[in-house]
Amino acid sequence: MQNVIQQIHDANGQFEIAVAGGGTSAISKLLEISGASRSLLNGVIPYSDSALTSYLGTRPASACSDTTARLMATRAFHNARKLCSTHVIGIGATAALQTDRIRRGADQLFVAVQSRHATRVYHLSLDKQTDRISQERQCAEFIILIIAASLDIDIPDLPSPSQEQLGTSEWQALLCGDKLATSDQQFKGVFPGAFNPPHQGHVRMKEIAEQHLGATVAFEISAFNVDKPPLDYIDLAERQSHLDGKSLVFTHAATFLEKSALFPGAAFVVGIDTLTRIDDPKYYGHSEQAKEAAIKTFADGGHHFLVFGRLSHDNFLSLTDVEISPALRKLCTSVPESEFREDISSSAIRSDYL
Protein backbone atom coordinates (compact mmCIF):
# COMPACT_ATOMS: atom_id res chain seq x y z
CA MET A 1 0.00 0.00 0.00
CA GLN A 2 2.91 2.36 0.66
CA ASN A 3 4.06 1.94 -2.95
CA VAL A 4 0.56 2.77 -4.22
CA ILE A 5 0.42 5.90 -2.07
CA GLN A 6 3.82 6.99 -3.34
CA GLN A 7 2.57 6.61 -6.90
CA ILE A 8 -0.47 8.73 -6.01
CA HIS A 9 1.79 11.51 -4.75
CA ASP A 10 3.92 11.27 -7.90
CA ALA A 11 0.99 11.16 -10.32
CA ASN A 12 -0.18 13.99 -12.54
CA GLY A 13 -3.25 15.08 -10.62
CA GLN A 14 -4.55 16.46 -7.36
CA PHE A 15 -7.71 15.85 -5.38
CA GLU A 16 -9.97 16.73 -2.50
CA ILE A 17 -11.33 13.81 -0.52
CA ALA A 18 -14.36 13.76 1.78
CA VAL A 19 -14.94 10.68 3.94
CA ALA A 20 -17.83 10.01 6.31
CA GLY A 21 -18.72 7.02 8.47
CA GLY A 22 -15.81 4.71 7.74
CA GLY A 23 -12.53 4.77 5.84
CA THR A 24 -11.43 8.07 7.37
CA SER A 25 -7.99 6.62 8.07
CA ALA A 26 -7.36 6.76 4.31
CA ILE A 27 -6.51 10.43 4.80
CA SER A 28 -3.96 9.77 7.52
CA LYS A 29 -2.44 6.94 5.47
CA LEU A 30 -1.98 9.32 2.55
CA LEU A 31 -0.24 11.79 4.87
CA GLU A 32 2.12 9.15 6.28
CA ILE A 33 4.03 8.99 2.99
CA SER A 34 6.12 12.02 2.04
CA GLY A 35 4.98 14.02 -0.97
CA ALA A 36 1.32 14.30 0.02
CA SER A 37 1.32 18.04 -0.65
CA ARG A 38 1.78 17.24 -4.36
CA SER A 39 -1.47 15.27 -4.56
CA LEU A 40 -3.80 15.97 -1.65
CA LEU A 41 -5.40 19.39 -1.87
CA ASN A 42 -7.77 18.91 1.04
CA GLY A 43 -9.10 16.14 3.26
CA VAL A 44 -12.50 16.56 4.90
CA ILE A 45 -14.27 14.34 7.45
CA PRO A 46 -17.91 15.52 7.71
CA TYR A 47 -18.70 12.88 10.31
CA SER A 48 -21.83 14.10 12.11
CA ASP A 49 -25.18 14.55 10.38
CA SER A 50 -24.92 18.32 10.73
CA ALA A 51 -21.37 18.37 9.36
CA LEU A 52 -22.35 16.28 6.35
CA THR A 53 -25.37 18.47 5.70
CA SER A 54 -23.18 21.56 5.92
CA TYR A 55 -20.60 20.11 3.53
CA LEU A 56 -23.18 19.08 0.93
CA GLY A 57 -25.47 22.07 1.31
CA THR A 58 -28.43 19.72 1.73
CA ARG A 59 -29.49 16.96 4.10
CA PRO A 60 -28.97 13.60 2.38
CA ALA A 61 -31.74 11.00 2.51
CA SER A 62 -29.22 8.48 3.80
CA ALA A 63 -25.71 8.99 5.16
CA CYS A 64 -24.42 5.81 3.53
CA SER A 65 -25.55 5.48 -0.07
CA ASP A 66 -24.28 5.75 -3.61
CA THR A 67 -26.17 9.03 -4.00
CA THR A 68 -24.53 10.59 -0.93
CA ALA A 69 -21.08 9.47 -2.08
CA ARG A 70 -21.75 11.12 -5.44
CA LEU A 71 -22.87 14.35 -3.78
CA MET A 72 -19.68 14.35 -1.71
CA ALA A 73 -17.50 13.67 -4.75
CA THR A 74 -19.15 16.44 -6.76
CA ARG A 75 -18.70 18.93 -3.92
CA ALA A 76 -15.07 17.83 -3.53
CA PHE A 77 -14.45 18.21 -7.27
CA HIS A 78 -15.72 21.79 -7.40
CA ASN A 79 -13.80 22.67 -4.24
CA ALA A 80 -10.65 21.20 -5.79
CA ARG A 81 -11.13 23.27 -8.93
CA LYS A 82 -11.12 26.41 -6.79
CA LEU A 83 -7.75 25.38 -5.37
CA CYS A 84 -6.08 24.09 -8.52
CA SER A 85 -6.70 24.74 -12.22
CA THR A 86 -4.89 21.64 -13.49
CA HIS A 87 -6.04 18.00 -13.50
CA VAL A 88 -8.21 17.51 -10.39
CA ILE A 89 -10.67 14.93 -9.11
CA GLY A 90 -13.14 14.82 -6.25
CA ILE A 91 -13.45 11.74 -4.03
CA GLY A 92 -16.49 11.07 -1.84
CA ALA A 93 -16.65 8.03 0.44
CA THR A 94 -19.26 6.99 2.96
CA ALA A 95 -19.46 3.75 4.90
CA ALA A 96 -21.56 1.94 7.47
CA LEU A 97 -19.37 -0.10 9.82
CA GLN A 98 -19.86 -2.18 12.96
CA THR A 99 -21.34 0.02 15.69
CA ASP A 100 -22.42 -0.07 19.33
CA ARG A 101 -26.02 0.79 18.46
CA ILE A 102 -28.77 -1.03 16.60
CA ARG A 103 -28.53 -0.18 12.91
CA ARG A 104 -30.46 -1.57 10.01
CA GLY A 105 -28.85 -2.26 6.68
CA ALA A 106 -25.65 -3.77 5.41
CA ASP A 107 -22.10 -2.98 6.40
CA GLN A 108 -20.78 -1.42 3.23
CA LEU A 109 -18.76 1.32 1.58
CA PHE A 110 -19.57 3.57 -1.37
CA VAL A 111 -16.80 5.52 -3.09
CA ALA A 112 -17.59 8.04 -5.82
CA VAL A 113 -15.15 9.80 -8.11
CA GLN A 114 -15.93 12.96 -10.03
CA SER A 115 -13.52 14.11 -12.70
CA ARG A 116 -13.84 16.28 -15.76
CA HIS A 117 -14.34 13.16 -17.83
CA ALA A 118 -16.65 10.92 -15.81
CA THR A 119 -18.73 10.17 -12.73
CA ARG A 120 -17.99 6.75 -11.24
CA VAL A 121 -19.25 4.91 -8.16
CA TYR A 122 -17.67 1.86 -6.51
CA HIS A 123 -19.21 -0.41 -3.91
CA LEU A 124 -17.59 -2.64 -1.31
CA SER A 125 -19.62 -5.09 0.80
CA LEU A 126 -18.27 -5.73 4.28
CA ASP A 127 -18.63 -8.87 6.36
CA LYS A 128 -20.81 -8.16 9.40
CA GLN A 129 -18.80 -10.73 11.36
CA THR A 130 -15.60 -8.70 10.87
CA ASP A 131 -14.64 -6.33 13.67
CA ARG A 132 -14.77 -2.57 13.16
CA ILE A 133 -10.98 -2.11 13.12
CA SER A 134 -10.63 -4.62 10.28
CA GLN A 135 -13.54 -3.05 8.40
CA GLU A 136 -11.96 0.38 8.75
CA ARG A 137 -8.69 -0.93 7.35
CA GLN A 138 -10.51 -2.54 4.40
CA CYS A 139 -12.34 0.70 3.63
CA ALA A 140 -9.24 2.87 3.84
CA GLU A 141 -7.26 0.59 1.54
CA PHE A 142 -10.13 0.35 -0.93
CA ILE A 143 -10.47 4.15 -1.05
CA ILE A 144 -6.75 4.53 -1.69
CA LEU A 145 -6.87 2.01 -4.55
CA ILE A 146 -9.80 3.90 -6.12
CA ILE A 147 -7.86 7.18 -5.87
CA ALA A 148 -4.86 5.55 -7.53
CA ALA A 149 -6.92 4.12 -10.39
CA SER A 150 -8.59 7.50 -10.88
CA LEU A 151 -5.13 9.04 -11.35
CA ASP A 152 -4.41 6.49 -14.12
CA ILE A 153 -2.24 4.25 -11.93
CA ASP A 154 -2.56 0.60 -12.90
CA ILE A 155 -4.34 -1.31 -10.13
CA PRO A 156 -4.78 -5.04 -10.94
CA ASP A 157 -8.08 -6.74 -10.05
CA LEU A 158 -9.85 -3.51 -9.17
CA PRO A 159 -13.62 -4.08 -9.33
CA SER A 160 -15.58 -2.34 -12.04
CA PRO A 161 -17.67 0.68 -11.07
CA SER A 162 -21.22 -0.09 -9.98
CA GLN A 163 -22.23 3.11 -11.80
CA GLU A 164 -20.39 5.00 -14.51
CA GLN A 165 -21.31 7.88 -16.77
CA LEU A 166 -18.88 9.56 -19.15
CA GLY A 167 -19.36 13.26 -19.76
CA THR A 168 -19.98 14.46 -23.29
CA SER A 169 -17.77 17.30 -24.48
CA GLU A 170 -20.67 19.71 -23.90
CA TRP A 171 -21.23 18.42 -20.36
CA GLN A 172 -17.53 18.64 -19.55
CA ALA A 173 -17.39 22.25 -20.73
CA LEU A 174 -20.46 23.03 -18.64
CA LEU A 175 -19.22 21.31 -15.48
CA CYS A 176 -15.88 23.09 -15.63
CA GLY A 177 -17.33 26.50 -16.48
CA ASP A 178 -15.84 26.65 -19.99
CA LYS A 179 -19.35 27.16 -21.40
CA LEU A 180 -22.51 28.47 -19.78
CA ALA A 181 -24.92 26.27 -21.76
CA THR A 182 -24.88 23.05 -23.75
CA SER A 183 -26.57 24.79 -26.68
CA ASP A 184 -26.16 28.20 -28.30
CA GLN A 185 -29.71 28.09 -29.65
CA GLN A 186 -31.94 30.92 -28.54
CA PHE A 187 -35.52 30.23 -27.49
CA LYS A 188 -38.49 32.56 -27.23
CA GLY A 189 -39.70 30.53 -24.25
CA VAL A 190 -37.63 28.88 -21.53
CA PHE A 191 -39.00 26.55 -18.84
CA PRO A 192 -36.44 26.32 -16.00
CA GLY A 193 -36.63 23.53 -13.43
CA ALA A 194 -35.03 20.50 -11.85
CA PHE A 195 -37.46 18.04 -13.50
CA ASN A 196 -36.48 15.31 -11.06
CA PRO A 197 -38.36 13.58 -12.47
CA PRO A 198 -40.42 15.34 -15.15
CA HIS A 199 -44.12 14.51 -15.08
CA GLN A 200 -47.26 15.04 -17.11
CA GLY A 201 -47.78 18.45 -15.52
CA HIS A 202 -44.44 19.69 -16.86
CA VAL A 203 -45.23 18.41 -20.34
CA ARG A 204 -48.65 20.04 -20.30
CA MET A 205 -47.20 23.35 -19.07
CA LYS A 206 -44.74 23.31 -21.96
CA GLU A 207 -47.52 22.65 -24.47
CA ILE A 208 -49.73 25.44 -23.11
CA ALA A 209 -46.79 27.86 -23.00
CA GLU A 210 -46.00 27.11 -26.64
CA GLN A 211 -49.62 27.88 -27.54
CA HIS A 212 -49.42 31.20 -25.67
CA LEU A 213 -46.08 32.19 -27.16
CA GLY A 214 -46.48 30.71 -30.63
CA ALA A 215 -42.96 29.32 -30.40
CA THR A 216 -40.94 26.37 -29.10
CA VAL A 217 -40.33 26.35 -25.35
CA ALA A 218 -37.15 24.67 -24.11
CA PHE A 219 -36.76 22.85 -20.82
CA GLU A 220 -33.77 24.39 -19.00
CA ILE A 221 -31.94 22.54 -16.23
CA SER A 222 -29.14 24.29 -14.39
CA ALA A 223 -26.32 21.98 -13.32
CA PHE A 224 -25.77 24.48 -10.51
CA ASN A 225 -28.55 25.50 -8.14
CA VAL A 226 -28.92 28.05 -5.37
CA ASP A 227 -30.63 25.59 -3.00
CA LYS A 228 -29.20 22.22 -4.09
CA PRO A 229 -25.81 20.57 -4.75
CA PRO A 230 -24.40 20.63 -8.30
CA LEU A 231 -25.43 17.86 -10.68
CA ASP A 232 -23.02 15.19 -11.89
CA TYR A 233 -22.96 13.28 -15.18
CA ILE A 234 -25.24 10.53 -13.87
CA ASP A 235 -27.81 13.22 -12.99
CA LEU A 236 -27.51 14.83 -16.43
CA ALA A 237 -27.90 11.50 -18.19
CA GLU A 238 -31.02 10.66 -16.15
CA ARG A 239 -32.66 14.02 -16.83
CA GLN A 240 -31.82 13.79 -20.51
CA SER A 241 -33.27 10.29 -20.82
CA HIS A 242 -36.51 11.42 -19.16
CA LEU A 243 -36.84 14.35 -21.57
CA ASP A 244 -35.62 12.50 -24.65
CA GLY A 245 -36.89 14.03 -27.87
CA LYS A 246 -37.88 17.33 -26.26
CA SER A 247 -36.05 20.65 -26.45
CA LEU A 248 -33.62 20.61 -23.53
CA VAL A 249 -30.64 22.73 -22.57
CA PHE A 250 -28.37 22.32 -19.55
CA THR A 251 -26.89 25.56 -18.23
CA HIS A 252 -24.56 27.03 -15.63
CA ALA A 253 -27.22 29.63 -14.73
CA ALA A 254 -28.27 29.11 -11.13
CA THR A 255 -30.33 32.31 -10.86
CA PHE A 256 -32.92 33.94 -13.08
CA LEU A 257 -30.63 36.92 -13.45
CA GLU A 258 -28.05 34.59 -15.02
CA LYS A 259 -30.74 32.93 -17.13
CA SER A 260 -31.90 36.31 -18.44
CA ALA A 261 -28.37 36.99 -19.72
CA LEU A 262 -28.23 33.58 -21.44
CA PHE A 263 -31.64 33.92 -23.10
CA PRO A 264 -32.18 37.57 -24.13
CA GLY A 265 -35.81 38.60 -24.34
CA ALA A 266 -37.12 35.14 -23.47
CA ALA A 267 -40.37 34.45 -21.67
CA PHE A 268 -39.84 32.28 -18.61
CA VAL A 269 -42.39 29.59 -17.81
CA VAL A 270 -42.71 29.35 -14.02
CA GLY A 271 -44.90 27.92 -11.31
CA ILE A 272 -46.31 30.22 -8.65
CA ASP A 273 -43.81 28.92 -6.06
CA THR A 274 -40.88 29.77 -8.33
CA LEU A 275 -42.27 33.24 -8.93
CA THR A 276 -42.41 33.96 -5.21
CA ARG A 277 -38.75 32.93 -4.91
CA ILE A 278 -37.86 35.34 -7.72
CA ASP A 279 -39.41 38.08 -5.56
CA ASP A 280 -37.64 36.97 -2.37
CA PRO A 281 -34.65 39.15 -1.27
CA LYS A 282 -33.11 35.97 0.22
CA TYR A 283 -31.97 35.01 -3.28
CA TYR A 284 -30.28 38.38 -3.78
CA GLY A 285 -28.03 38.34 -0.74
CA HIS A 286 -30.99 39.42 1.43
CA SER A 287 -30.91 42.77 -0.34
CA GLU A 288 -34.17 44.43 -1.36
CA GLN A 289 -32.19 46.82 -3.54
CA ALA A 290 -30.49 43.95 -5.38
CA LYS A 291 -33.86 42.29 -5.95
CA GLU A 292 -35.32 45.48 -7.40
CA ALA A 293 -32.29 45.85 -9.66
CA ALA A 294 -32.74 42.30 -10.93
CA ILE A 295 -36.42 42.88 -11.72
CA LYS A 296 -35.46 46.05 -13.59
CA THR A 297 -32.94 44.00 -15.57
CA PHE A 298 -35.72 41.57 -16.52
CA ALA A 299 -37.91 44.45 -17.65
CA ASP A 300 -35.16 46.25 -19.58
CA GLY A 301 -34.25 42.96 -21.28
CA GLY A 302 -37.79 42.37 -22.54
CA HIS A 303 -38.38 39.34 -20.33
CA HIS A 304 -41.73 38.31 -18.95
CA PHE A 305 -43.08 35.42 -16.90
CA LEU A 306 -45.87 33.04 -17.87
CA VAL A 307 -47.16 31.94 -14.48
CA PHE A 308 -48.88 28.62 -13.73
CA GLY A 309 -50.77 27.98 -10.49
CA ARG A 310 -50.30 24.92 -8.29
CA LEU A 311 -51.81 23.12 -5.33
CA SER A 312 -50.44 24.21 -1.96
CA HIS A 313 -51.81 22.87 1.33
CA ASP A 314 -55.13 21.88 -0.27
CA ASN A 315 -55.50 25.31 -1.90
CA PHE A 316 -54.85 26.05 -5.55
CA LEU A 317 -52.74 29.20 -5.71
CA SER A 318 -52.58 31.42 -8.76
CA LEU A 319 -51.01 34.81 -9.47
CA THR A 320 -53.94 36.64 -7.84
CA ASP A 321 -53.42 34.74 -4.58
CA VAL A 322 -49.86 35.84 -3.80
CA GLU A 323 -48.28 39.12 -2.86
CA ILE A 324 -45.36 40.12 -5.07
CA SER A 325 -43.77 43.46 -5.85
CA PRO A 326 -45.68 45.61 -8.39
CA ALA A 327 -42.66 45.80 -10.69
CA LEU A 328 -42.52 42.01 -11.00
CA ARG A 329 -46.29 41.66 -11.33
CA LYS A 330 -46.17 43.92 -14.40
CA LEU A 331 -43.98 41.32 -16.10
CA CYS A 332 -46.35 38.42 -15.40
CA THR A 333 -49.11 36.75 -17.37
CA SER A 334 -51.26 34.26 -15.48
CA VAL A 335 -52.44 30.98 -16.96
CA PRO A 336 -55.93 30.45 -15.48
CA GLU A 337 -56.86 27.35 -13.49
CA SER A 338 -59.48 26.51 -16.11
CA GLU A 339 -56.66 26.15 -18.65
CA PHE A 340 -54.19 24.28 -16.48
CA ARG A 341 -54.37 22.37 -13.23
CA GLU A 342 -52.26 19.30 -12.42
CA ASP A 343 -52.10 18.36 -8.73
CA ILE A 344 -48.83 16.49 -9.02
CA SER A 345 -45.22 17.23 -8.04
CA SER A 346 -41.80 15.74 -8.65
CA SER A 347 -41.15 15.53 -4.89
CA ALA A 348 -44.33 13.48 -4.42
CA ILE A 349 -43.30 11.14 -7.22
CA ARG A 350 -39.85 10.68 -5.64
CA SER A 351 -41.48 10.03 -2.26
CA ASP A 352 -43.79 7.38 -3.72
CA TYR A 353 -40.84 5.78 -5.48
CA LEU A 354 -38.78 5.62 -2.28
Side-chain angles (χ1 to χ4, degrees):
M1 191 56 62
Q2 289 185 0
N3 181 54
V4 173
I5 294 174
Q6 190 63 66
Q7 291 183 73
I8 289 173
H9 295 337
D10 294 339
N12 179 28
Q14 294 178 291
F15 59 92
E16 173 167 308
I17 178 172
V19 189
T24 57
S25 59
I27 297 175
S28 61
K29 288 180 180 296
L30 289 165
L31 295 173
E32 288 173 359
I33 306 300
S34 60
S37 61
R38 296 195 298 271
S39 63
L40 179 60
L41 290 167
N42 194 22
V44 185
I45 304 176
Y47 202 79
S48 69
D49 289 342
S50 58
L52 184 58
T53 297
S54 177
Y55 183 72
L56 297 178
T58 189
R59 185 180 181 85
S62 171
C64 181
S65 69
D66 55 349
T67 300
T68 301
R70 283 168 46 203
L71 292 173
M72 295 169 71
T74 303
R75 181 66 70 195
F77 173 75
H78 289 292
N79 287 348
R81 281 187 49 79
K82 294 175 184 177
L83 299 172
C84 178
S85 59
T86 57
H87 175 46
V88 298
I89 59 176
I91 307 292
T94 178
L97 307 184
Q98 286 290 315
T99 181
D100 59 1
R101 58 182 172 80
I102 297 176
R103 176 178 55 76
R104 297 178 181 177
D107 290 359
Q108 58 187 335
L109 165 72
F110 293 96
V111 184
V113 182
Q114 182 63 55
S115 70
R116 181 185 179 99
H117 304 289
T119 304
R120 295 186 174 94
V121 182
Y122 298 84
H123 179 246
L124 178 66
S125 294
L126 301 169
D127 187 349
K128 273 186 171 290
Q129 304 306 313
T130 304
D131 64 86
R132 184 181 177 92
I133 293 175
S134 298
Q135 287 184 338
E136 169 64 29
R137 183 173 61 252
Q138 281 182 272
C139 290
E141 292 180 353
F142 188 78
I143 292 169
I144 290 170
L145 293 178
I146 297 302
I147 295 172
S150 302
L151 293 173
D152 298 324
I153 297 167
D154 183 34
I155 303 296
D157 303 322
L158 188 73
S160 299
S162 57
Q163 298 179 65
E164 179 177 40
Q165 179 63 54
L166 302 181
T168 66
S169 57
E170 291 82 6
W171 293 358
Q172 291 180 33
L174 182 71
L175 192 73
C176 295
D178 300 332
K179 291 190 67 176
L180 298 181
T182 54
S183 171
D184 295 327
Q185 183 176 353
Q186 290 298 312
F187 297 93
K188 187 175 180 179
V190 176
F191 186 178
F195 307 111
N196 182 33
H199 53 68
Q200 63 189 25
H202 294 137
V203 175
R204 185 65 183 137
M205 287 171 70
K206 180 179 185 295
E207 293 172 348
I208 292 173
E210 289 177 337
Q211 293 170 8
H212 275 261
L213 300 174
T216 298
V217 170
F219 288 113
E220 182 261 340
I221 300 176
S222 176
F224 299 84
N225 192 289
V226 174
D227 296 317
K228 302 171 185 176
L231 304 183
D232 61 23
Y233 296 142
I234 293 175
D235 291 319
L236 297 184
E238 288 177 347
R239 310 296 168 85
Q240 182 166 277
S241 68
H242 291 151
L243 293 169
D244 187 36
K246 299 178 175 64
S247 298
L248 170 65
V249 58
F250 293 112
T251 75
H252 204 291
T255 68
F256 272 85
L257 200 55
E258 293 169 303
K259 297 180 199 300
S260 68
L262 271 181
F263 303 103
F268 291 114
V269 179
V270 298
I272 193 66
D273 51 345
T274 298
L275 184 70
T276 57
R277 288 196 294 271
I278 293 171
D279 199 47
D280 189 342
K282 166 187 172 182
Y283 296 97
Y284 305 89
H286 297 277
S287 169
E288 186 72 29
Q289 185 177 7
K291 184 200 78 173
E292 292 173 357
I295 294 173
K296 184 176 186 302
T297 297
F298 300 147
D300 292 346
H303 298 282
H304 67 280
F305 298 87
L306 191 61
V307 184
F308 288 75
R310 68 170 295 171
L311 187 69
S312 176
H313 303 295
D314 298 324
N315 293 315
F316 188 84
L317 299 181
S318 63
L319 183 60
T320 57
D321 300 313
V322 297
E323 291 187 11
I324 58 173
S325 58
L328 180 58
R329 190 176 292 274
K330 286 181 181 179
L331 304 180
C332 296
T333 299
S334 179
V335 176
E337 181 181 354
S338 59
E339 191 171 349
F340 173 85
R341 175 165 178 168
E342 290 282 353
D343 296 343
I344 186 172
S345 70
S346 294
S347 57
I349 293 174
R350 291 197 303 273
S351 178
D352 289 343
Y353 176 77
L354 294 173

